[in-house]
């Protein structure tokens, strides 16, 4: 029960007045920024990075945990109370949640979302505690070829599984990998620096994340700004009746069961489990007539799935250093800002830090529940913020954060360039996630690949290690050939299931 | 805040369309039936059949529906250009630093990426020629039925550049004020004085909290000694 002792130590670190205050600050700011329309969880974390610049790593991590869960929760409030769909992971919540709100049941929708998020977050964080250590000990046994294969899988998975178009996904991934190449190579050679001395150290991942997520998004929204802001549905204090509880608790648990494993997979994300949860609840409900008109199960399940998958993404992120969604990618960038490299060694070198982070996830989750039930009306008022101020504010804080990384105006020009790239990607439907994953994992994949080839003297067979790498290459093949498999294997099977 | 934003393509009733404020371009009529990407895999949309089509089906932003989105060829050209640049850089500028400890050296990875970029650019072009189209990103405040409002975007870029040029000379408080005020102006807010007060307050608060309070790098500039 080593881990339990570690976790208790982590709790001991969190439960000091100062750190509790920081956790509270983290969840409050995280929720407030996450509620703002147009700001998803990834942008929330990216924009709030500078808040932690002056802090000790421990306190910064406590704050991140709060911002992470707070931003997630804020997003669901937006999708329930605003009359328009937001980011992809809360689209499903919006389907029934928004209908409920329009039917005067906003309070119940917010309550089932808040309590469901708490239940799912707590269970999923517990699962994180149980699952992560074995994954770490497995990851430690891996060699350079296995790591290289794992990162390739990660590239292929975020590119080919998520998003609508593979070509566009690969275009985005390659752009990210090219950005990752910029800078001085391990041999001391300058690559793609174009003779600009500021590029010799490479482009800071924080600048990339803020540029692509915050500046790109703000410019894109500005180009298509609704001239009349979406209607906000007024809400009182969230509460649930006995009937609502009865109808909610099973969807919460089922949503958690969908969300966590999908989050932990290399290409999980929140979209698939929330869709699955919605479909399941629709099938199992005793009130099928309410679906499409505001069924509480359709909020409870997907919202739980969403939060559980967020906790699930922390497993590969902490244990192997693989980001599987945008928010985890930005968190990883934040860790690197502190010179901390997530991965199996993190648990050995910075054990106290990791367990403090995990403990503060529990604490932050509880705080969110306590905070969000009474504060919902206040969050709803945030949705009425005049849009010029909102997007001017995003550019303002993005500039501040990017400048503060290196105290260099050059980063601001870089930020704008990346923002324009993000703008173009949104215009042409290129997914953002592969680019960010490419920037973060690209250099590490190259390092592992070159290390593996060093052992084999440059022969390509060095890239194949033990059975793990064979298994991973097989998985990559399956992912790449999935459209063919889908046509000849999955679709006939599904057809048989539907007819039978 | 009273205006409904129900959209006809989302099954809502159509309110009188608000005039596109601050834009000279008239809004383009709606086109139902957004063109979706050609190579949509099965896995990404597992339960769409159960989802009412009112959410997540944004209309393509510009041009009448049947016309293909030719601007996408620009993306292909951009990818090919980047690919070419990467290969050029790898073959001419990067030294051939190979030794026994690193038999690969710094060159192969960029060359591989460059070649892959050229291949992807070609496949992308084929996809576009076959009628494939990317789906512009939707969002809470995004109205994809309007064309891109270039005036706003260019003004925002202007405000951004003003800050980037002036931040080291005048300091964050002044350049940040200009950035916020200029951005609010670009986005169509015309409360000049109120915006200035908000901008100054925001810059001062961030400067004191982050630069003085948390030790974050923000320059005081010409106001050094006053702040």
């Amino acid at each position: 029960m080593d881990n339990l002792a570690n976790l208790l130590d982590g709790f001991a670190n969190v439960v000091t007045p100062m750190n509790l205050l920081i956790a509270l600050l983290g969840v409050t700011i995280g929720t407030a920024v996450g509620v703002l329309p147009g700001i998803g969880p990834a942008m929330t974390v990216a924009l709030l990075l500078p808040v932690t610049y002056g802090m000790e790593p421990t306190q910064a991590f406590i704050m991140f945990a709060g911002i992470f869960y707070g931003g997630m929760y804020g997003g669901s409030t937006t999708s329930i109370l605003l009359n328009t769909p937001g980011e992809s992971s809360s689209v499903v919540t919006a389907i029934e949640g928004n209908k409920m709100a329009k039917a005067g049941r906003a309070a119940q929708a917010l309550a089932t979302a808040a309590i469901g998020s708490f239940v799912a977050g707590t269970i999923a964080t517990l699962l994180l505690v149980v699952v992560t250590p074995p994954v770490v000990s497995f990851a430690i046994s891996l060699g350079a070829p296995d790591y290289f294969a794992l990162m390739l899988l990660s590239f292929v998975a975020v590119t080919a599984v998520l998003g609508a178009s593979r070509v566009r996904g690969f275009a985005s991934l390659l752009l990210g990998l090219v950005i990752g190449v910029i800078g001085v190579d391990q041999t001391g050679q300058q690559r793609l620096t174009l003779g600009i001395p500021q590029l010799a150290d490479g482009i800071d991942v924080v600048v990339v994340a803020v540029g692509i997520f915050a500046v790109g998004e703000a410019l894109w929204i500005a180009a298509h700004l609704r001239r009349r802001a979406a209607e906000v549905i007024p809400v009182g204090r969230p509460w649930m009746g006995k009937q609502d509880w009865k109808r909610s608790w099973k969807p919460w648990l089922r949503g958690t069961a969908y969300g966590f494993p999908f989050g932990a997979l290399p290409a999980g994300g929140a979209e698939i489990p929330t869709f699955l949860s919605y479909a399941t609840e629709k099938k199992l409900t005793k009130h099928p007539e309410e679906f499409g008109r505001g069924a509480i199960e359709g909020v409870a399940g997907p919202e739980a799935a969403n939060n559980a998958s967020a906790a699930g993404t922390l497993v590969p992120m902490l244990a192997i250093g693989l980001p599987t969604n945008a928010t985890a990618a930005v968190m990883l960038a934040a860790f690197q800002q502190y010179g901390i490299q997530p991965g199996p060694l993190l648990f050995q070198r910075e054990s106290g830090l990791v367990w403090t982070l995990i403990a503060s996830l529990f604490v932050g989750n509880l705080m969110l529940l306590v905070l969000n039930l009474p504060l919902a009306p206040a969050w709803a008022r945030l949705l009425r913020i005049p849009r010029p101020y909102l997007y001017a504010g995003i550019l303002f804080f993005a500039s501040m954060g990017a400048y503060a990384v290196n105290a260099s105006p050059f980063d601001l020009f870089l930020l704008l360039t990346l923002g324009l790239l993000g703008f173009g990607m949104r215009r042409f439907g290129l997914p953002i996630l592969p680019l960010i994953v490419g920037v973060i994992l690209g250099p590490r994949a190259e390092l592992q690949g070159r290390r593996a080839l060093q052992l084999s003297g440059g022969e390509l067979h060095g890239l194949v290690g033990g059975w793990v790498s064979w298994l991973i290459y097989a998985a990559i093949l399956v992912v790449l050939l999935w459209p063919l498999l889908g046509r000849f294997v999955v679709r006939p099977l599904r057809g048989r299931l539907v007819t039978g | 805040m009273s205006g409904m934003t129900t959209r006809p393509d989302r099954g809502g009733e159509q309110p009188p369309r608000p005039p596109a404020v601050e834009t000279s371009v008239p809004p383009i009529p709606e086109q139902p039936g957004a063109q979706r990407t050609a190579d949509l895999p099965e896995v990404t949309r597992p339960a769409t059949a159960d989802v009412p089509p009112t959410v997540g089906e944004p209309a393509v932003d510009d041009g009448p529906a049947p016309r293909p989105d030719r601007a996408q060829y620009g993306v292909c050209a951009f990818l090919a250009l980047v690919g070419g640049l990467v290969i050029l850089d790898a073959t001419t500028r990067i030294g051939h630093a190979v030794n026994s400890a690193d038999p690969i050296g710094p060159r192969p990875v960029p060359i591989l990426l460059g070649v892959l970029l050229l291949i992807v650019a070609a496949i992308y072009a084929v996809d576009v020629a076959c009628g494939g189209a990317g789906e512009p990103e939707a969002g809470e405040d995004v109205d994809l039925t309007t064309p891109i409002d270039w005036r706003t975007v260019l003004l925002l870029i202007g405000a951004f550049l003003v800050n980037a040029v002036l931040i080291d000379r005048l300091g964050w408080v002044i350049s940040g004020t200009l950035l916020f005020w200029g951005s609010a102006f670009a986005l169509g807010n015309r409360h000049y004085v109120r915006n200035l007060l908000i901008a100054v307050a925001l810059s001062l608060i961030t400067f004191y909290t982050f630069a003085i309070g948390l030790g974050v790098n923000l320059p005081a500039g010409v106001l050094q000694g006053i702040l």
Side-chain angles (χ1 to χ4, degrees):
Chain A
M1 283 278 87
D2 224 15
N3 298 321
L4 193 64
N6 285 332
L7 183 62
L8 289 177
D9 283 347
F11 271 112
N13 280 339
V14 180
V15 190
T16 63
M18 186 61 196
N19 287 350
L20 282 177
L21 189 69
I22 287 177
L24 186 66
L25 212 61
V27 290
T28 315
I29 305 179
T31 316
V33 178
V35 164
L36 294 173
I39 304 188
M43 206 214 280
T44 307
V45 181
L47 276 179
L48 291 176
L49 278 176
V51 179
T52 60
Y53 281 171
M55 292 182 182
E56 296 288 305
T58 312
Q59 299 183 329
F61 278 39
I62 292 174
M63 192 155 218
F64 275 134
I67 292 173
F68 182 60
Y69 274 164
M72 297 283 310
Y73 181 78
S76 60
T77 307
T78 318
S79 57
I80 291 171
L81 294 183
L82 262 194
N83 207 356
T84 53
E87 60 261 23
S88 51
S89 58
S90 52
V91 159
V92 183
T93 306
I95 299 170
E96 298 296 325
N98 196 245
K99 294 266 161 51
M100 279 181 77
K102 273 190 197 154
R105 283 170 45 81
Q108 287 82 353
L110 285 179
T112 197
I115 302 169
S117 295
F118 171 75
V119 172
T122 306
I123 297 176
T125 313
L126 274 174
L127 288 173
L128 171 79
V129 172
V130 178
V131 170
T132 310
V135 176
V136 168
S137 38
F138 168 71
I140 284 178
S141 69
L142 298 179
D146 305 315
Y147 269 111
F148 180 72
L150 204 56
M151 286 171 196
L152 282 191
L153 174 65
S154 190
F155 291 150
V156 171
V158 293
T159 307
V161 177
L162 306 175
S165 160
R166 289 170 169 234
V167 174
R168 289 165 183 78
F170 276 109
S172 167
L173 173 71
L174 286 171
L175 289 174
L177 291 172
V178 167
I179 294 175
V181 164
I182 296 173
V184 172
D185 171 63
Q186 47 180 322
T187 56
Q189 294 291 322
Q190 297 215 354
R191 299 195 295 184
L192 287 172
T193 53
L194 310 172
I196 302 170
Q198 286 97 327
L199 284 179
D201 288 337
I203 300 180
D204 201 287
V205 183
V206 173
V207 177
V208 180
V210 174
I212 298 279
F213 283 113
V215 178
E217 181 86 12
L219 289 177
W220 173 245
I221 296 176
H224 287 287
L225 191 60
R226 274 179 214 282
R227 286 304 169 180
R228 292 227 185 142
E231 182 198 9
V232 181
I233 298 161
V235 66
R237 188 184 167 138
W239 61 276
M240 291 205 301
K242 201 174 160 197
Q243 192 61 25
D244 298 319
W245 280 95
K246 224 166 125 186
R247 289 175 60 179
S248 288
W249 72 271
K250 280 186 205 155
W252 289 339
L253 296 183
R254 282 194 288 260
T256 310
Y258 275 126
F260 185 81
F262 270 98
L265 284 175
E271 287 87 351
I272 298 172
T274 47
F275 269 112
L276 284 179
S277 164
Y278 182 84
T280 308
E281 298 314 329
K282 194 176 175 184
K283 200 166 280 174
L284 294 178
T285 180
K286 291 189 182 115
H287 308 267
E289 74 287 350
E290 279 187 28
F291 265 79
R293 270 180 249 147
I296 196 165
E297 294 94 337
V299 181
E303 207 33 47
N306 192 5
N307 251 50
S309 106
T313 58
L314 292 179
V315 175
M317 205 270 269
L318 291 174
I320 317 180
L322 291 181
T324 59
N325 70 5
T327 319
V330 181
M331 292 265 284
L332 201 70
F335 284 21
Q336 289 175 344
Q337 195 65 28
Y338 284 93
I340 290 165
Q341 185 65 62
L345 294 178
L346 179 67
F347 276 77
Q348 295 177 340
R349 289 192 196 140
E350 309 269 0
S351 168
L353 203 57
V354 185
W355 288 104
T356 305
L357 174 72
I358 294 174
S360 44
L361 288 174
F362 284 106
V363 173
N365 213 3
L366 183 65
M367 281 180 172
L368 271 177
L369 183 69
V370 177
L371 197 69
N372 279 321
L373 289 180
L375 280 186
W379 299 143
R381 268 199 293 282
L382 273 182
L383 292 174
R384 296 177 191 275
I385 183 172
R387 297 308 187 258
Y389 293 157
L390 173 60
Y391 296 107
I394 291 177
L395 289 177
F396 180 89
F397 281 99
S399 301
M400 190 186 90
Y403 178 89
V405 178
N406 296 317
S408 141
F410 177 77
D411 278 349
L412 289 177
F413 293 104
L414 218 51
L415 187 71
L416 182 62
T417 312
L418 290 160
L420 290 174
L421 181 66
F423 177 85
M425 291 173 70
R426 285 172 173 84
R427 156 69 179 81
F428 290 104
L430 266 61
I432 304 293
L433 178 61
L435 182 136
I436 293 287
V437 170
V439 174
I440 291 178
L441 287 187
R444 282 167 56 204
E446 187 185 357
L447 183 76
Q448 298 288 359
R450 279 162 78 169
R451 203 175 274 169
L453 288 172
Q454 177 188 328
L455 299 174
S456 68
E459 298 294 324
L460 277 180
H461 67 76
L463 291 180
V464 184
W467 60 272
V468 177
S469 62
W470 282 105
L471 210 65
I472 297 172
Y473 283 123
I476 293 176
L477 265 184
V478 169
V479 172
L480 281 179
L481 298 177
W482 184 256
L484 293 176
L485 290 175
R487 187 165 305 160
F488 295 114
V489 183
V490 179
R491 208 178 292 170
L493 268 181
R494 191 178 295 167
R496 201 173 305 161
L497 280 178
V498 170
T499 50
Chain B
M1 293 302 152
S2 59
M4 291 284 287
T5 47
T6 33
R7 293 166 46 180
D9 58 331
R10 293 194 174 152
E13 59 197 351
Q14 186 165 24
R17 172 163 286 280
V21 190
E22 316 299 342
T23 42
S24 50
V25 196
I28 279 180
E30 312 258 356
Q31 340 84 68
Q35 195 178 5
R36 294 196 64 88
T37 320
D39 53 346
L40 190 76
E42 291 287 306
V43 263
T44 52
R45 300 172 62 83
T48 34
D50 296 313
V51 177
T54 47
V55 183
E57 289 277 348
V60 170
D61 61 333
D62 49 1
R67 201 179 64 199
D69 184 7
R70 291 202 186 283
Q72 290 189 101
Y73 288 116
V75 182
C76 306
F78 174 73
L79 293 172
L81 183 75
V82 174
L85 264 178
V86 173
I87 294 176
L88 189 73
D89 180 82
T91 47
T92 59
R93 294 181 66 106
I94 301 177
H96 199 60
V98 176
N99 54 47
S100 58
D102 184 21
I104 296 302
R107 276 179 169 183
V109 170
I111 292 177
L112 178 71
L113 291 180
V115 171
L116 286 175
L117 269 168
L118 292 178
I119 295 173
V120 164
I123 300 176
Y124 200 141
V126 171
D127 180 66
V128 175
C130 294
E135 191 180 295
E137 194 183 85
E140 287 109 347
D141 280 344
V142 174
D143 181 3
L144 288 174
T145 56
T146 58
I148 290 180
D149 178 1
W150 286 110
R151 184 172 171 272
T152 301
V153 176
L154 290 176
L155 280 173
L156 282 178
I157 294 173
F160 193 97
L161 286 175
V162 164
N163 172 50
V165 171
L166 294 180
I167 188 166
D168 271 358
R169 284 170 211 159
L170 300 183
W172 167 250
V173 175
I174 295 176
S175 69
T177 301
L178 290 174
L179 170 63
F180 186 89
W181 190 88
S183 304
F185 174 84
L187 289 158
N189 194 307
R190 293 292 177 268
H191 300 276
Y192 301 117
V193 180
R194 189 174 83 185
N195 292 359
L196 190 64
L197 291 177
I198 295 175
V200 171
L202 207 54
S203 304
L204 281 173
I205 292 170
T206 48
F207 185 79
Y208 278 108
T209 332
F210 290 101
I212 312 270
L214 289 167
V216 170
N217 292 314
L218 287 175
V222 288
L223 298 177
Q224 183 86 46
I226 302 173
L227 291 171

